[in-house]
Amino acid sequence: MRKKCRRICTNRRRERVRNRFCCFVLLLAGVLNPVHGYAWGFSAHRKIIDAAIHHLPSPLHAFFKAHGPWLHDHVNDADLRKHTVIDEGIRHYIDLDRYSPSMDSLQVWFPMAYDEACERWSEDSLRAHGIGPWHALSTYRRLIVAFDQKDEAAILRHGADLAHYISDLHVPLHTSANYDGKLSNQLGIHALWETQLPESFMDGYDLFPSGPQAIWIENTEEAIWQTVLTSHACLDSVFAFELETRKAFDGKPIDAYVERGRTRQLMRSPLFAEYYHEVLDGQVERRMSASSALVSSLWYSAWIEAGAPEMAMKAPDSRTRWKKVLDWLFK
Ligand SMILES: [Zn+2]
């Protein structure tokens, strides 16, 4: 009997480890394969976090700075959740061109409360086209509650998620149904604009102006929607300049194996990326800079809305990322 029990326990343990391992592989696959909704690269998301922390005044600066490594580790949790949480995927974008091709109409309609938008277009249609701005706003409200309750774990969790969603909404291709150029024969433009360009050139970007830059935003709904509309207005240049770059490379190869960390991947060639980056004339830098400024201001505004509570700082967890993965995998 005891033997049987032990066998069952061992089998269950094996099954649990196997399930967790499968989940881990899925997460890894998700990281390596861009789909609609992935934004910036991991390193660009982390750079935005660093710049957002840099913009904060005291005492928030000290709190977020102390937890910078945790935020680095978790700023992309929202992307990883797409493989385990139903509906996570639609929180990272909004296909504004599904509503109207006219920028004027979009500017008249938005911001619009979620319930009102559901009445006008139906909830199914909203969900089919992405709910990025509405979800970013609800994450911001959760962050206010977390500050109000002085719940450090919740502050960090919602702070990291808010940074992720807001950064995603600064990517023009996250506001279009043509998010990877499939509808205009420009496949691959998504990874090129949001991952390859920042990874290649962000070291030269000016994302750390001196002194705190965060401001209190009274109407956060308006600020988030204006960001999305500005991203959408950038799309013309995103597509037109990519076509111009393709024309300049007419007859020449535009792809090459490029070293990325410890891997070699087939991407646009460094020369193609450099030409495109040049004709975009600072667009990627401007979107990254705006992203870090808004993330910082939203963290700050949520803290002010919660009555500017005192922030206690615990020593950050000293376990390495891989140790945490292994702990989680074999728990
Ligand atoms: Zn995302």
Side-chain angles (χ1 to χ4, degrees), residues 4-21:
K4 194 179 171 191
C5 234
R6 203 178 307 143
R7 203 169 53 240
I8 290 170
C9 283
T10 310
N11 285 343
R12 278 190 185 152
R13 189 175 150 77
R14 274 194 196 134
E15 194 183 336
R16 205 163 58 225
V17 169
R18 196 167 50 236
N19 286 344
R20 282 172 184 261
F21 185 71

mmCIF file with all atom_site columns, all heavy atoms in Angstrom, residues 4-21:
data_model
loop_
_atom_site.group_PDB
_atom_site.id
_atom_site.type_symbol
_atom_site.label_atom_id
_atom_site.label_alt_id
_atom_site.label_comp_id
_atom_site.label_asym_id
_atom_site.label_entity_id
_atom_site.label_seq_id
_atom_site.pdbx_PDB_ins_code
_atom_site.Cartn_x
_atom_site.Cartn_y
_atom_site.Cartn_z
_atom_site.occupancy
_atom_site.B_iso_or_equiv
_atom_site.pdbx_formal_charge
_atom_site.auth_seq_id
_atom_site.auth_comp_id
_atom_site.auth_asym_id
_atom_site.auth_atom_id
_atom_site.pdbx_PDB_model_num
ATOM 1   N N   . LYS A 1 4  ? 2.548  1.667  -3.251  1.00 0.00 ? 4  LYS A N   1
ATOM 2   C CA  . LYS A 1 4  ? 1.640  2.164  -4.279  1.00 0.00 ? 4  LYS A CA  1
ATOM 3   C C   . LYS A 1 4  ? 1.488  3.690  -4.156  1.00 0.00 ? 4  LYS A C   1
ATOM 4   O O   . LYS A 1 4  ? 1.516  4.430  -5.125  1.00 0.00 ? 4  LYS A O   1
ATOM 5   C CB  . LYS A 1 4  ? 0.280  1.485  -4.113  1.00 0.00 ? 4  LYS A CB  1
ATOM 6   C CG  . LYS A 1 4  ? -0.603 1.685  -5.328  1.00 0.00 ? 4  LYS A CG  1
ATOM 7   C CD  . LYS A 1 4  ? -1.917 0.996  -5.156  1.00 0.00 ? 4  LYS A CD  1
ATOM 8   C CE  . LYS A 1 4  ? -2.864 1.382  -6.279  1.00 0.00 ? 4  LYS A CE  1
ATOM 9   N NZ  . LYS A 1 4  ? -4.196 0.944  -6.001  1.00 0.00 ? 4  LYS A NZ  1
ATOM 10  N N   . CYS A 1 5  ? 1.359  4.086  -2.863  1.00 0.00 ? 5  CYS A N   1
ATOM 11  C CA  . CYS A 1 5  ? 1.198  5.507  -2.579  1.00 0.00 ? 5  CYS A CA  1
ATOM 12  C C   . CYS A 1 5  ? 2.407  6.302  -3.072  1.00 0.00 ? 5  CYS A C   1
ATOM 13  O O   . CYS A 1 5  ? 2.286  7.342  -3.685  1.00 0.00 ? 5  CYS A O   1
ATOM 14  C CB  . CYS A 1 5  ? 1.095  5.693  -1.077  1.00 0.00 ? 5  CYS A CB  1
ATOM 15  S SG  . CYS A 1 5  ? -0.354 6.589  -0.646  1.00 0.00 ? 5  CYS A SG  1
ATOM 16  N N   . ARG A 1 6  ? 3.602  5.720  -2.771  1.00 0.00 ? 6  ARG A N   1
ATOM 17  C CA  . ARG A 1 6  ? 4.833  6.401  -3.158  1.00 0.00 ? 6  ARG A CA  1
ATOM 18  C C   . ARG A 1 6  ? 4.912  6.528  -4.685  1.00 0.00 ? 6  ARG A C   1
ATOM 19  O O   . ARG A 1 6  ? 5.325  7.533  -5.245  1.00 0.00 ? 6  ARG A O   1
ATOM 20  C CB  . ARG A 1 6  ? 6.041  5.620  -2.619  1.00 0.00 ? 6  ARG A CB  1
ATOM 21  C CG  . ARG A 1 6  ? 7.277  6.524  -2.487  1.00 0.00 ? 6  ARG A CG  1
ATOM 22  C CD  . ARG A 1 6  ? 8.465  5.800  -1.906  1.00 0.00 ? 6  ARG A CD  1
ATOM 23  N NE  . ARG A 1 6  ? 8.195  5.126  -0.648  1.00 0.00 ? 6  ARG A NE  1
ATOM 24  C CZ  . ARG A 1 6  ? 8.722  3.954  -0.298  1.00 0.00 ? 6  ARG A CZ  1
ATOM 25  N NH1 . ARG A 1 6  ? 9.545  3.321  -1.080  1.00 0.00 ? 6  ARG A NH1 1
ATOM 26  N NH2 . ARG A 1 6  ? 8.425  3.406  0.856   1.00 0.00 ? 6  ARG A NH2 1
ATOM 27  N N   . ARG A 1 7  ? 4.473  5.410  -5.384  1.00 0.00 ? 7  ARG A N   1
ATOM 28  C CA  . ARG A 1 7  ? 4.510  5.434  -6.846  1.00 0.00 ? 7  ARG A CA  1
ATOM 29  C C   . ARG A 1 7  ? 3.589  6.531  -7.402  1.00 0.00 ? 7  ARG A C   1
ATOM 30  O O   . ARG A 1 7  ? 3.948  7.261  -8.300  1.00 0.00 ? 7  ARG A O   1
ATOM 31  C CB  . ARG A 1 7  ? 4.104  4.052  -7.385  1.00 0.00 ? 7  ARG A CB  1
ATOM 32  C CG  . ARG A 1 7  ? 4.656  3.849  -8.803  1.00 0.00 ? 7  ARG A CG  1
ATOM 33  C CD  . ARG A 1 7  ? 4.528  2.416  -9.288  1.00 0.00 ? 7  ARG A CD  1
ATOM 34  N NE  . ARG A 1 7  ? 3.216  1.876  -9.188  1.00 0.00 ? 7  ARG A NE  1
ATOM 35  C CZ  . ARG A 1 7  ? 2.868  0.809  -8.480  1.00 0.00 ? 7  ARG A CZ  1
ATOM 36  N NH1 . ARG A 1 7  ? 3.773  0.175  -7.784  1.00 0.00 ? 7  ARG A NH1 1
ATOM 37  N NH2 . ARG A 1 7  ? 1.629  0.368  -8.461  1.00 0.00 ? 7  ARG A NH2 1
ATOM 38  N N   . ILE A 1 8  ? 2.385  6.630  -6.787  1.00 0.00 ? 8  ILE A N   1
ATOM 39  C CA  . ILE A 1 8  ? 1.433  7.650  -7.249  1.00 0.00 ? 8  ILE A CA  1
ATOM 40  C C   . ILE A 1 8  ? 2.013  9.049  -7.055  1.00 0.00 ? 8  ILE A C   1
ATOM 41  O O   . ILE A 1 8  ? 1.977  9.896  -7.937  1.00 0.00 ? 8  ILE A O   1
ATOM 42  C CB  . ILE A 1 8  ? 0.084  7.517  -6.497  1.00 0.00 ? 8  ILE A CB  1
ATOM 43  C CG1 . ILE A 1 8  ? -0.619 6.244  -6.957  1.00 0.00 ? 8  ILE A CG1 1
ATOM 44  C CG2 . ILE A 1 8  ? -0.820 8.718  -6.765  1.00 0.00 ? 8  ILE A CG2 1
ATOM 45  C CD1 . ILE A 1 8  ? -1.836 5.869  -6.142  1.00 0.00 ? 8  ILE A CD1 1
ATOM 46  N N   . CYS A 1 9  ? 2.631  9.242  -5.855  1.00 0.00 ? 9  CYS A N   1
ATOM 47  C CA  . CYS A 1 9  ? 3.229  10.554 -5.562  1.00 0.00 ? 9  CYS A CA  1
ATOM 48  C C   . CYS A 1 9  ? 4.332  10.879 -6.558  1.00 0.00 ? 9  CYS A C   1
ATOM 49  O O   . CYS A 1 9  ? 4.432  11.994 -7.064  1.00 0.00 ? 9  CYS A O   1
ATOM 50  C CB  . CYS A 1 9  ? 3.823  10.586 -4.165  1.00 0.00 ? 9  CYS A CB  1
ATOM 51  S SG  . CYS A 1 9  ? 2.529  10.756 -2.944  1.00 0.00 ? 9  CYS A SG  1
ATOM 52  N N   . THR A 1 10 ? 5.189  9.865  -6.842  1.00 0.00 ? 10 THR A N   1
ATOM 53  C CA  . THR A 1 10 ? 6.291  10.086 -7.785  1.00 0.00 ? 10 THR A CA  1
ATOM 54  C C   . THR A 1 10 ? 5.749  10.433 -9.164  1.00 0.00 ? 10 THR A C   1
ATOM 55  O O   . THR A 1 10 ? 6.232  11.340 -9.838  1.00 0.00 ? 10 THR A O   1
ATOM 56  C CB  . THR A 1 10 ? 7.171  8.814  -7.878  1.00 0.00 ? 10 THR A CB  1
ATOM 57  O OG1 . THR A 1 10 ? 7.486  8.422  -6.571  1.00 0.00 ? 10 THR A OG1 1
ATOM 58  C CG2 . THR A 1 10 ? 8.443  9.094  -8.663  1.00 0.00 ? 10 THR A CG2 1
ATOM 59  N N   . ASN A 1 11 ? 4.698  9.672  -9.576  1.00 0.00 ? 11 ASN A N   1
ATOM 60  C CA  . ASN A 1 11 ? 4.113  9.948  -10.896 1.00 0.00 ? 11 ASN A CA  1
ATOM 61  C C   . ASN A 1 11 ? 3.530  11.355 -10.975 1.00 0.00 ? 11 ASN A C   1
ATOM 62  O O   . ASN A 1 11 ? 3.691  12.047 -11.959 1.00 0.00 ? 11 ASN A O   1
ATOM 63  C CB  . ASN A 1 11 ? 2.997  8.928  -11.209 1.00 0.00 ? 11 ASN A CB  1
ATOM 64  C CG  . ASN A 1 11 ? 3.603  7.583  -11.568 1.00 0.00 ? 11 ASN A CG  1
ATOM 65  O OD1 . ASN A 1 11 ? 4.800  7.507  -11.876 1.00 0.00 ? 11 ASN A OD1 1
ATOM 66  N ND2 . ASN A 1 11 ? 2.807  6.533  -11.488 1.00 0.00 ? 11 ASN A ND2 1
ATOM 67  N N   . ARG A 1 12 ? 2.857  11.750 -9.857  1.00 0.00 ? 12 ARG A N   1
ATOM 68  C CA  . ARG A 1 12 ? 2.265  13.099 -9.847  1.00 0.00 ? 12 ARG A CA  1
ATOM 69  C C   . ARG A 1 12 ? 3.350  14.166 -9.934  1.00 0.00 ? 12 ARG A C   1
ATOM 70  O O   . ARG A 1 12 ? 3.210  15.153 -10.613 1.00 0.00 ? 12 ARG A O   1
ATOM 71  C CB  . ARG A 1 12 ? 1.470  13.295 -8.559  1.00 0.00 ? 12 ARG A CB  1
ATOM 72  C CG  . ARG A 1 12 ? 0.101  12.687 -8.689  1.00 0.00 ? 12 ARG A CG  1
ATOM 73  C CD  . ARG A 1 12 ? -0.760 13.087 -7.537  1.00 0.00 ? 12 ARG A CD  1
ATOM 74  N NE  . ARG A 1 12 ? -2.026 12.400 -7.601  1.00 0.00 ? 12 ARG A NE  1
ATOM 75  C CZ  . ARG A 1 12 ? -2.766 12.105 -6.558  1.00 0.00 ? 12 ARG A CZ  1
ATOM 76  N NH1 . ARG A 1 12 ? -2.358 12.435 -5.368  1.00 0.00 ? 12 ARG A NH1 1
ATOM 77  N NH2 . ARG A 1 12 ? -3.908 11.495 -6.692  1.00 0.00 ? 12 ARG A NH2 1
ATOM 78  N N   . ARG A 1 13 ? 4.446  13.904 -9.184  1.00 0.00 ? 13 ARG A N   1
ATOM 79  C CA  . ARG A 1 13 ? 5.547  14.867 -9.176  1.00 0.00 ? 13 ARG A CA  1
ATOM 80  C C   . ARG A 1 13 ? 6.147  14.994 -10.584 1.00 0.00 ? 13 ARG A C   1
ATOM 81  O O   . ARG A 1 13 ? 6.363  16.091 -11.080 1.00 0.00 ? 13 ARG A O   1
ATOM 82  C CB  . ARG A 1 13 ? 6.616  14.404 -8.179  1.00 0.00 ? 13 ARG A CB  1
ATOM 83  C CG  . ARG A 1 13 ? 7.694  15.430 -7.932  1.00 0.00 ? 13 ARG A CG  1
ATOM 84  C CD  . ARG A 1 13 ? 8.635  14.916 -6.848  1.00 0.00 ? 13 ARG A CD  1
ATOM 85  N NE  . ARG A 1 13 ? 9.968  15.437 -7.049  1.00 0.00 ? 13 ARG A NE  1
ATOM 86  C CZ  . ARG A 1 13 ? 10.329 16.655 -6.750  1.00 0.00 ? 13 ARG A CZ  1
ATOM 87  N NH1 . ARG A 1 13 ? 9.471  17.497 -6.252  1.00 0.00 ? 13 ARG A NH1 1
ATOM 88  N NH2 . ARG A 1 13 ? 11.564 17.067 -6.965  1.00 0.00 ? 13 ARG A NH2 1
ATOM 89  N N   . ARG A 1 14 ? 6.332  13.809 -11.229 1.00 0.00 ? 14 ARG A N   1
ATOM 90  C CA  . ARG A 1 14 ? 6.876  13.818 -12.595 1.00 0.00 ? 14 ARG A CA  1
ATOM 91  C C   . ARG A 1 14 ? 5.947  14.603 -13.539 1.00 0.00 ? 14 ARG A C   1
ATOM 92  O O   . ARG A 1 14 ? 6.378  15.390 -14.360 1.00 0.00 ? 14 ARG A O   1
ATOM 93  C CB  . ARG A 1 14 ? 7.012  12.385 -13.112 1.00 0.00 ? 14 ARG A CB  1
ATOM 94  C CG  . ARG A 1 14 ? 8.331  11.766 -12.693 1.00 0.00 ? 14 ARG A CG  1
ATOM 95  C CD  . ARG A 1 14 ? 8.596  10.500 -13.481 1.00 0.00 ? 14 ARG A CD  1
ATOM 96  N NE  . ARG A 1 14 ? 9.624  9.722  -12.832 1.00 0.00 ? 14 ARG A NE  1
ATOM 97  C CZ  . ARG A 1 14 ? 9.554  8.417  -12.615 1.00 0.00 ? 14 ARG A CZ  1
ATOM 98  N NH1 . ARG A 1 14 ? 8.506  7.737  -13.002 1.00 0.00 ? 14 ARG A NH1 1
ATOM 99  N NH2 . ARG A 1 14 ? 10.535 7.788  -12.037 1.00 0.00 ? 14 ARG A NH2 1
ATOM 100 N N   . GLU A 1 15 ? 4.640  14.328 -13.353 1.00 0.00 ? 15 GLU A N   1
ATOM 101 C CA  . GLU A 1 15 ? 3.673  14.998 -14.231 1.00 0.00 ? 15 GLU A CA  1
ATOM 102 C C   . GLU A 1 15 ? 3.701  16.515 -14.035 1.00 0.00 ? 15 GLU A C   1
ATOM 103 O O   . GLU A 1 15 ? 3.658  17.288 -14.975 1.00 0.00 ? 15 GLU A O   1
ATOM 104 C CB  . GLU A 1 15 ? 2.270  14.459 -13.927 1.00 0.00 ? 15 GLU A CB  1
ATOM 105 C CG  . GLU A 1 15 ? 1.272  14.831 -15.015 1.00 0.00 ? 15 GLU A CG  1
ATOM 106 C CD  . GLU A 1 15 ? -0.127 14.350 -14.643 1.00 0.00 ? 15 GLU A CD  1
ATOM 107 O OE1 . GLU A 1 15 ? -0.216 13.393 -13.839 1.00 0.00 ? 15 GLU A OE1 1
ATOM 108 O OE2 . GLU A 1 15 ? -1.076 14.939 -15.107 1.00 0.00 ? 15 GLU A OE2 1
ATOM 109 N N   . ARG A 1 16 ? 3.839  16.909 -12.711 1.00 0.00 ? 16 ARG A N   1
ATOM 110 C CA  . ARG A 1 16 ? 3.869  18.342 -12.419 1.00 0.00 ? 16 ARG A CA  1
ATOM 111 C C   . ARG A 1 16 ? 5.096  18.999 -13.053 1.00 0.00 ? 16 ARG A C   1
ATOM 112 O O   . ARG A 1 16 ? 5.013  20.045 -13.666 1.00 0.00 ? 16 ARG A O   1
ATOM 113 C CB  . ARG A 1 16 ? 3.878  18.536 -10.901 1.00 0.00 ? 16 ARG A CB  1
ATOM 114 C CG  . ARG A 1 16 ? 3.312  19.878 -10.495 1.00 0.00 ? 16 ARG A CG  1
ATOM 115 C CD  . ARG A 1 16 ? 2.949  19.921 -9.031  1.00 0.00 ? 16 ARG A CD  1
ATOM 116 N NE  . ARG A 1 16 ? 4.068  19.645 -8.167  1.00 0.00 ? 16 ARG A NE  1
ATOM 117 C CZ  . ARG A 1 16 ? 4.039  18.835 -7.128  1.00 0.00 ? 16 ARG A CZ  1
ATOM 118 N NH1 . ARG A 1 16 ? 2.930  18.207 -6.829  1.00 0.00 ? 16 ARG A NH1 1
ATOM 119 N NH2 . ARG A 1 16 ? 5.100  18.632 -6.384  1.00 0.00 ? 16 ARG A NH2 1
ATOM 120 N N   . VAL A 1 17 ? 6.238  18.310 -12.916 1.00 0.00 ? 17 VAL A N   1
ATOM 121 C CA  . VAL A 1 17 ? 7.468  18.857 -13.498 1.00 0.00 ? 17 VAL A CA  1
ATOM 122 C C   . VAL A 1 17 ? 7.319  18.929 -15.015 1.00 0.00 ? 17 VAL A C   1
ATOM 123 O O   . VAL A 1 17 ? 7.694  19.913 -15.649 1.00 0.00 ? 17 VAL A O   1
ATOM 124 C CB  . VAL A 1 17 ? 8.696  18.005 -13.109 1.00 0.00 ? 17 VAL A CB  1
ATOM 125 C CG1 . VAL A 1 17 ? 9.918  18.402 -13.914 1.00 0.00 ? 17 VAL A CG1 1
ATOM 126 C CG2 . VAL A 1 17 ? 8.974  18.143 -11.620 1.00 0.00 ? 17 VAL A CG2 1
ATOM 127 N N   . ARG A 1 18 ? 6.717  17.827 -15.603 1.00 0.00 ? 18 ARG A N   1
ATOM 128 C CA  . ARG A 1 18 ? 6.554  17.801 -17.065 1.00 0.00 ? 18 ARG A CA  1
ATOM 129 C C   . ARG A 1 18 ? 5.646  18.952 -17.514 1.00 0.00 ? 18 ARG A C   1
ATOM 130 O O   . ARG A 1 18 ? 5.947  19.655 -18.453 1.00 0.00 ? 18 ARG A O   1
ATOM 131 C CB  . ARG A 1 18 ? 5.971  16.452 -17.494 1.00 0.00 ? 18 ARG A CB  1
ATOM 132 C CG  . ARG A 1 18 ? 6.147  16.202 -18.993 1.00 0.00 ? 18 ARG A CG  1
ATOM 133 C CD  . ARG A 1 18 ? 5.865  14.753 -19.384 1.00 0.00 ? 18 ARG A CD  1
ATOM 134 N NE  . ARG A 1 18 ? 4.632  14.269 -18.864 1.00 0.00 ? 18 ARG A NE  1
ATOM 135 C CZ  . ARG A 1 18 ? 4.519  13.186 -18.098 1.00 0.00 ? 18 ARG A CZ  1
ATOM 136 N NH1 . ARG A 1 18 ? 5.575  12.506 -17.757 1.00 0.00 ? 18 ARG A NH1 1
ATOM 137 N NH2 . ARG A 1 18 ? 3.350  12.783 -17.669 1.00 0.00 ? 18 ARG A NH2 1
ATOM 138 N N   . ASN A 1 19 ? 4.534  19.167 -16.785 1.00 0.00 ? 19 ASN A N   1
ATOM 139 C CA  . ASN A 1 19 ? 3.617  20.263 -17.143 1.00 0.00 ? 19 ASN A CA  1
ATOM 140 C C   . ASN A 1 19 ? 4.308  21.618 -17.063 1.00 0.00 ? 19 ASN A C   1
ATOM 141 O O   . ASN A 1 19 ? 4.167  22.453 -17.939 1.00 0.00 ? 19 ASN A O   1
ATOM 142 C CB  . ASN A 1 19 ? 2.408  20.280 -16.192 1.00 0.00 ? 19 ASN A CB  1
ATOM 143 C CG  . ASN A 1 19 ? 1.471  19.144 -16.514 1.00 0.00 ? 19 ASN A CG  1
ATOM 144 O OD1 . ASN A 1 19 ? 1.558  18.559 -17.592 1.00 0.00 ? 19 ASN A OD1 1
ATOM 145 N ND2 . ASN A 1 19 ? 0.590  18.823 -15.590 1.00 0.00 ? 19 ASN A ND2 1
ATOM 146 N N   . ARG A 1 20 ? 5.055  21.789 -15.964 1.00 0.00 ? 20 ARG A N   1
ATOM 147 C CA  . ARG A 1 20 ? 5.735  23.070 -15.797 1.00 0.00 ? 20 ARG A CA  1
ATOM 148 C C   . ARG A 1 20 ? 6.785  23.268 -16.883 1.00 0.00 ? 20 ARG A C   1
ATOM 149 O O   . ARG A 1 20 ? 6.982  24.364 -17.386 1.00 0.00 ? 20 ARG A O   1
ATOM 150 C CB  . ARG A 1 20 ? 6.392  23.156 -14.412 1.00 0.00 ? 20 ARG A CB  1
ATOM 151 C CG  . ARG A 1 20 ? 5.379  23.467 -13.342 1.00 0.00 ? 20 ARG A CG  1
ATOM 152 C CD  . ARG A 1 20 ? 5.979  23.372 -11.975 1.00 0.00 ? 20 ARG A CD  1
ATOM 153 N NE  . ARG A 1 20 ? 4.956  23.589 -10.981 1.00 0.00 ? 20 ARG A NE  1
ATOM 154 C CZ  . ARG A 1 20 ? 4.761  24.752 -10.367 1.00 0.00 ? 20 ARG A CZ  1
ATOM 155 N NH1 . ARG A 1 20 ? 5.511  25.755 -10.654 1.00 0.00 ? 20 ARG A NH1 1
ATOM 156 N NH2 . ARG A 1 20 ? 3.802  24.881 -9.477  1.00 0.00 ? 20 ARG A NH2 1
ATOM 157 N N   . PHE A 1 21 ? 7.461  22.146 -17.253 1.00 0.00 ? 21 PHE A N   1
ATOM 158 C CA  . PHE A 1 21 ? 8.478  22.254 -18.290 1.00 0.00 ? 21 PHE A CA  1
ATOM 159 C C   . PHE A 1 21 ? 7.841  22.638 -19.632 1.00 0.00 ? 21 PHE A C   1
ATOM 160 O O   . PHE A 1 21 ? 8.335  23.494 -20.356 1.00 0.00 ? 21 PHE A O   1
ATOM 161 C CB  . PHE A 1 21 ? 9.237  20.925 -18.425 1.00 0.00 ? 21 PHE A CB  1
ATOM 162 C CG  . PHE A 1 21 ? 10.384 21.019 -19.406 1.00 0.00 ? 21 PHE A CG  1
ATOM 163 C CD1 . PHE A 1 21 ? 11.516 21.756 -19.090 1.00 0.00 ? 21 PHE A CD1 1
ATOM 164 C CD2 . PHE A 1 21 ? 10.310 20.411 -20.648 1.00 0.00 ? 21 PHE A CD2 1
ATOM 165 C CE1 . PHE A 1 21 ? 12.563 21.865 -19.991 1.00 0.00 ? 21 PHE A CE1 1
ATOM 166 C CE2 . PHE A 1 21 ? 11.348 20.515 -21.541 1.00 0.00 ? 21 PHE A CE2 1
ATOM 167 C CZ  . PHE A 1 21 ? 12.472 21.242 -21.215 1.00 0.00 ? 21 PHE A CZ  1
#
